[in-house]
Amino acid sequence: MNLKIYRIIHLVITGIITIPITLFFASGGLGENYTGHTFVYPQLLLVIAVWIIGSVLSFNKNIAEFGLLISALPAVFFIGNVLITFLT
């Protein structure tokens, strides 16, 4: 029961961090979308795919912890980049 509650909270928090930031960066960020396309860097959408794969794996009883780790990787990546940017 405890892992079920943690899993849902974990997926909601990492999803709130991962999806908007990835969509923002894939669309070109601030003022870099001069091409007229919706996504200037569509390869960044693979970050959302990594989060989805981790989310799906977290619902498998055998590898639930591994799935939670994979789904946390994009959020940790973005938070680490923000901290490095502000600390340097």
Side-chain angles (χ1 to χ4, degrees):
M1 180 68 181
N2 195 13
L3 182 63
K4 291 180 182 180
I5 295 171
Y6 175 74
R7 180 182 357 191
I8 299 299
I9 292 171
H10 171 84
L11 293 177
V12 167
I13 290 173
T14 56
I16 288 173
I17 293 171
T18 301
I19 293 172
I21 292 175
T22 303
L23 291 176
F24 175 73
F25 286 146
S27 67
L30 295 174
E32 295 179 10
N33 191 359
Y34 52 86
T35 61
H37 300 291
T38 303
F39 295 113
V40 179
Y41 306 112
Q43 58 270 29
L44 283 174
L45 295 175
L46 291 174
V47 175
I48 295 176
V50 169
W51 179 78
I52 290 173
I53 289 170
S55 300
V56 170
L57 289 177
S58 70
F59 287 101
N60 187 346
K61 290 181 182 180
N62 296 332
I63 53 174
E65 291 85 11
F66 184 66
L68 291 173
L69 177 69
I70 290 175
S71 66
L73 289 177
V76 170
F77 173 72
F78 289 133
I79 291 171
N81 281 335
V82 168
L83 288 177
I84 287 174
T85 302
F86 285 123
L87 293 177
T88 58

